[in-house]
């Protein structure tokens, strides 16, 4: 954030005329300038020039820093590193390519904002409203998004490494093709989210709401989905090998061609699920409910089927299991 001195120097050309005259007069008297003072003068002049150029290029920056509001402003490429913008009104603002590294945007209103390719490394967005925000390609490395509302936000290709998203609302969010390895999303609302082809190896999704979510072709190998809700989710071609789905709800989920080898599905609900052609080699299905599920062509070699409910299920050989 610009200091008060720099901000005062970055105002209009007319208001800064006396300041510029003072600089020129002072610099014209070399008898007062020791090497140390010359260095200080050069630094101050550089800061003043940078601030003046910055304010001229981004007139909305001064408005934002002075009033904490800049609704629908054009701040593309603006330098707002370390800015204190708690509760700021930035609805609809254009911040494409802007640098917000380490800024404090707690409780800020960024509804409908354009943050494509913005640098939000280490930014505090705790409790911020990011509904319908476009954050494609944004760098959110280490950002704090705890309790933020990201409903229907577009995060395709965003860097979320070490980002904090616990208790956030991610309903309908677009995270397709995004690197989410080791992401912590326990008890997070991801209902209807687009996670197609997302890289989610070792992700923590305990108790997460993924109902009706699109996880097709995603890589969830070794992820933790214990007690998660995946009702009617699209898991076609998804890699769920060595994944914990213990107690998960997969009722009417589509799992055609998915890899569930060595996965833990103990006590999971797979009623009416489509498991056609699924790899269930060495999977643990003990106590799982597969009532009316379709297992046609599935590979259940060495799978644990102790107390598994298969009433009216279609078996790998296309035969119906008797109740």
């Amino acid at each position: 954030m610009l200091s008060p001195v720099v901000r005062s120097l970055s105002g209009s050309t007319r208001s800064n005329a006396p300041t510029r005259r003072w600089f020129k007069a002072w610099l014209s008297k070399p008898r007062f300038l020791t090497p140390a003072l010359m260095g200080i003068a050069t630094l101050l002049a550089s800061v003043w020039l940078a601030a003046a150029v910055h304010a001229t290029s981004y007139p909305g920056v001064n408005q934002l820093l002075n009033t904490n509001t800049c609704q629908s402003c054009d701040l593309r490429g603006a330098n707002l590193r370390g800015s204190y913008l708690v509760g700021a009104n930035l609805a609809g603002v254009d911040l494409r390519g802007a640098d917000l590294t380490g800024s404090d945007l707690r409780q800020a209103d960024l509804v409908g904002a354009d943050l494509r390719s913005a640098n939000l490394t280490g930014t505090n967005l705790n409790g911020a409203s990011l509904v319908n925000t476009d954050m494609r390609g944004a760098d959110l490395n280490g950002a704090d998004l705890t309790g933020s509302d990201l409903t229907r936000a577009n995060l395709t290709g965003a860097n979320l490494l070490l980002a904090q998203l616990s208790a956030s609302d991610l309903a309908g969010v677009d995270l397709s093709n995004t690197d989410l390895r080791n992401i912590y999303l326990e008890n997070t609302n991801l209902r209807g989210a687009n996670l197609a082809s997302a890289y989610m190896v070792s992700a923590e999704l305990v108790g997460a709401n993924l109902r009706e979510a699109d996880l097709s072709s995603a890589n969830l190998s070794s992820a933790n989905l214990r007690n998660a809700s995946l009702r009617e989710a699209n898991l076609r071609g998804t890699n769920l090998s060595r994944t914990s789905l213990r107690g998960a709800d997969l009722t009417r989920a589509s799992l055609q061609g998915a890899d569930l080898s060595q996965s833990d599905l103990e006590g999971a609900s797979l009623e009416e699920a489509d498991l056609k052609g699924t790899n269930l080699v060495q999977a643990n299905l003990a106590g799982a409910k597969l009532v009316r599920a379709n297992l046609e062509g599935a590979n259940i070699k060495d799978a644990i089927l102790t107390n598994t409910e298969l009433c009216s299920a279609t078996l790998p050989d296309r035969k119906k299991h008797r109740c």
Side-chain angles (χ1 to χ4, degrees):
M1 181 172 68
L2 298 176
S3 68
V5 174
V6 175
R7 282 160 57 183
S8 68
L9 292 175
S10 61
S12 67
T13 303
R14 184 176 300 172
S15 62
N16 280 322
T19 305
R20 290 203 307 275
R21 285 197 297 271
W22 180 82
F23 261 112
K24 288 180 180 178
W26 194 70
L27 290 171
S28 68
K29 298 177 180 180
R31 62 181 179 278
F32 294 113
L33 298 178
T34 64
L37 287 174
M38 179 63 81
I40 294 172
T42 303
L43 177 61
L44 286 171
S46 299
V47 171
W48 177 81
L49 287 171
V53 170
H54 185 69
T56 303
S57 302
Y58 304 102
V61 170
N62 278 339
Q63 177 188 331
L64 175 59
L65 296 175
N66 290 326
T67 68
N68 213 34
T69 183
C70 202
Q71 193 170 359
S72 301
C73 286
D74 185 350
L75 296 174
R76 285 173 289 179
N79 181 2
L80 290 162
R81 292 174 67 95
S83 296
Y84 183 81
L85 298 166
V86 175
N89 182 359
L90 290 161
V93 70
D94 190 343
L95 283 160
R96 282 176 286 175
D99 189 352
L100 288 149
T101 303
S103 295
D104 193 342
L105 285 154
R106 284 173 294 161
Q107 308 298 325
D109 183 356
L110 286 149
V111 174
D114 193 340
L115 287 154
R116 281 177 285 173
S117 301
N119 189 348
L120 293 152
T121 304
T123 299
N124 191 344
L125 288 154
N126 192 309
S129 182
L130 294 152
V131 177
N132 289 321
T133 301
D134 192 343
M135 303 174 84
R136 285 176 287 175
D139 191 350
L140 288 150
N141 190 343
D144 185 358
L145 291 148
T146 305
S148 60
D149 189 350
L150 287 149
T151 305
R152 296 184 301 280
N154 191 339
L155 286 152
T156 303
N159 178 12
L160 287 160
L161 184 67
L162 302 178
Q164 299 176 52
L165 286 155
S166 58
S168 296
D169 192 344
L170 293 160
V173 71
D174 190 346
L175 285 160
S176 56
N177 298 292
T178 303
D179 189 344
L180 297 168
R181 74 185 84 180
N182 301 308
I183 197 76
Y184 184 83
L185 294 167
E186 187 170 340
N187 297 317
T188 302
N189 182 18
L190 286 152
R191 181 166 183 165
N194 182 4
L195 292 153
S197 300
Y199 189 72
M200 302 178 75
V201 173
S202 300
E204 282 289 334
L205 291 151
V206 175
N209 181 5
L210 287 153
R211 185 167 182 168
E212 300 170 353
D214 185 356
L215 291 146
S216 57
S217 301
N219 189 344
L220 283 149
S221 177
S222 302
N224 191 351
L225 286 150
R226 183 167 44 86
N227 297 324
S229 176
L230 291 148
R231 292 176 69 95
E232 301 175 37
N234 180 2
L235 293 152
R236 283 175 286 185
T238 302
N239 183 356
L240 291 156
S241 59
R242 299 182 300 281
T243 294
S244 175
L245 287 154
R246 182 173 292 216
D249 186 356
L250 290 143
T251 303
R252 292 188 295 278
S254 178
L255 290 143
Q256 291 182 35
D259 185 358
L260 285 154
S261 58
Q262 300 180 55
S263 60
D264 185 0
L265 288 150
E266 185 173 343
S269 177
L270 290 149
E271 295 184 51
E272 299 182 40
D274 189 350
L275 294 150
K276 188 175 181 179
T278 300
N279 181 5
L280 286 159
V281 173
Q282 296 181 12
N284 179 11
L285 289 157
K289 296 179 181 179
L290 287 153
V291 177
R292 294 184 298 279
N294 183 6
L295 288 155
E296 181 182 335
N299 187 348
I300 57 172
K301 183 179 179 181
D302 298 325
I304 300 173
L305 297 166
T306 307
N307 297 320
T308 302
E309 295 183 34
L310 291 161
C311 179
S312 298
T314 301
L315 301 178
D317 58 4
R318 297 185 181 182
K319 293 181 180 178
K320 283 279 188 179
H321 190 278
R322 292 182 181 178
C323 295

